[in-house]
Amino acid sequence: MADAAQFKWGARNGRIVPVAELTIPAGSLAMRYALSAFEGVRGYLQADEKTVRFFALDEHLERLAATSKIMRLPEPPAAMLADTAHQLLAANQAAVDCYLRISASAVSLGTLKEEKAAEIAYDMTLQPMGRKPFAKGLSLAISARSKPGDQIFPQRAKVISNYAGPRLAYLDARDAGYDDVLMITADGCLSEAPTANLFLVRGGKVRTPRACDAILLGVTRRHMLELCRKAGVPALECALLPEDAYDADEAFLTGTGLELAPIDSFDGKPLRGPRSIFPRLREFYFDMVRNQSANGDHR
């Protein structure tokens, strides 16, 4: 078995190649105008400790297709990408939790006003990725930086350009001593963290920002809402203000790479606690992702 730290094989357009071959031309539309969509997918070692299975791969490919449509890029070949993802697991002899990145980048040369269809390179890389080390809950700043609304650019599109502003907000928060940052909408509602969705708990009820609050419609977010319903925990999507964060009993972030991360404070204001709903949901989540059937369904 290959060393888990050496996932050297990637893929381009369905062909397994060394990762070093996955290059993008400097003059391409992807590099010049950020015409590059992507998805991140978790692979989980199953409870039998023998098999690694991707969680929600089809859902991520559906979102890649939706992003491509928004960006007026060709529809991605979902069946080929799914098959290649599994080939990549085998090529790297993956036997640990891992993270698959799928990108759809316009590698053809051209200008902003290019009229012909872009040539797309569908690239994949795979890397080992275990649990994030959350010895304690996160401290979050609520940023004064706002996310743009759909009238500027749809935030539901998972493209590289949508991460430039949140990165600056994160760096501001980090420099001020916080672990992460929460952004707001142009009208002052809570939105999301740079790479994760927000959930607040108050009085036994879970709330999360709406789709119209400049968020990426997270795959993990969707499953968390489903897990809340299965666990009998009321959950709703609604407008939330910074005061709602300060007044929460519990709070947490969700995302494919981040998974589930508890929050201890917003702007230095500690949450009341106790943390009772989050541990239950986290247990349900990891039971779900580590006990998938061979056809990708969840037991």
Side-chain angles (χ1 to χ4, degrees):
M1 179 174 59
D3 186 334
Q6 297 179 358
F7 285 178
K8 64 179 182 179
W9 297 106
R12 169 161 290 184
N13 297 335
R15 187 169 62 92
I16 304 298
V17 298
V19 170
E21 292 187 15
L22 302 180
T23 58
I24 302 293
S28 66
L29 295 170
M31 293 298 293
R32 294 181 69 183
Y33 304 114
L35 293 186
S36 181
F38 73 98
E39 286 292 328
V41 186
R42 277 275 190 172
Y44 285 101
L45 183 64
Q46 297 300 286
D48 62 9
E49 298 188 351
K50 298 178 181 178
T51 309
V52 174
R53 291 199 172 106
F54 291 118
F55 177 66
L57 175 60
D58 289 347
E59 294 174 54
H60 283 282
L61 291 175
E62 288 169 5
R63 190 170 63 181
L64 180 64
T67 295
S68 297
K69 184 175 182 180
I70 291 170
M71 297 295 292
R72 299 193 181 188
L73 297 175
E75 182 177 358
M80 181 272 282
L81 293 175
D83 183 62
T84 305
H86 291 100
Q87 289 182 41
L88 203 56
L89 278 179
N92 287 292
Q93 301 182 44
V96 296
D97 291 353
C98 52
Y99 182 86
L100 173 75
R101 183 182 172 99
I102 307 170
S103 63
S105 302
V107 293
S108 46
L109 309 183
T111 68
L112 184 65
K113 299 179 180 179
E114 193 70 30
E115 295 184 3
K116 63 182 180 181
E119 176 189 348
I120 305 299
Y122 295 101
D123 291 338
M124 292 187 189
T125 57
L126 191 70
Q127 66 184 83
M129 183 178 286
R131 306 288 65 69
K132 299 293 183 178
F134 297 122
K136 60 182 183 63
L138 300 174
S139 62
L140 263 66
I142 297 180
S143 179
R145 294 181 184 269
S146 61
K147 295 197 72 180
D150 280 2
Q151 73 276 15
I152 298 176
F153 191 83
Q155 296 302 291
R156 65 186 181 278
K158 193 171 176 66
V159 292
I160 59 175
S161 57
N162 268 343
Y163 290 82
R167 172 181 173 272
L168 293 179
Y170 166 74
L171 293 175
D172 291 342
R174 185 198 64 184
D175 291 347
Y178 294 96
D179 296 319
D180 212 327
V181 68
L182 189 62
M183 300 188 71
I184 59 174
T185 66
D187 56 2
C189 289
L190 298 178
S191 180
E192 62 182 356
T195 61
N197 293 119
L198 171 71
F199 286 82
L200 302 178
V201 183
R202 175 73 191 280
K205 297 180 179 179
V206 173
R207 296 180 293 170
T208 191
R210 305 163 295 180
C212 63
D213 290 323
I215 68 169
L216 178 71
L217 294 174
V219 172
T220 309
R221 173 185 180 271
R222 180 190 309 166
H223 282 278
M224 185 53 55
L225 288 169
E226 292 175 358
L227 286 176
C228 285
R229 297 182 184 105
K230 290 179 181 179
V233 176
L236 65 153
E237 302 168 78
C238 59
L240 295 170
L241 297 172
E243 291 75 15
D244 294 308
Y246 302 146
D247 202 34
D249 300 323
E250 307 174 57
F252 57 95
L253 299 175
T254 67
T256 297
L258 186 74
E259 297 176 315
L260 283 65
I263 298 169
D264 272 354
S265 64
F266 293 99
D267 290 338
K269 300 176 177 66
L271 302 185
R272 288 193 300 258
R275 193 178 291 151
S276 57
I277 287 180
F278 174 74
R280 291 170 53 200
L281 296 175
R282 179 174 54 191
E283 182 179 353
F284 292 155
Y285 176 80
F286 282 108
D287 179 67
M288 175 176 64
V289 299
R290 294 206 184 279
N291 291 282
Q292 301 180 67
S293 65
N295 61 7
D297 295 332
H298 320 306
R299 287 191 281 172

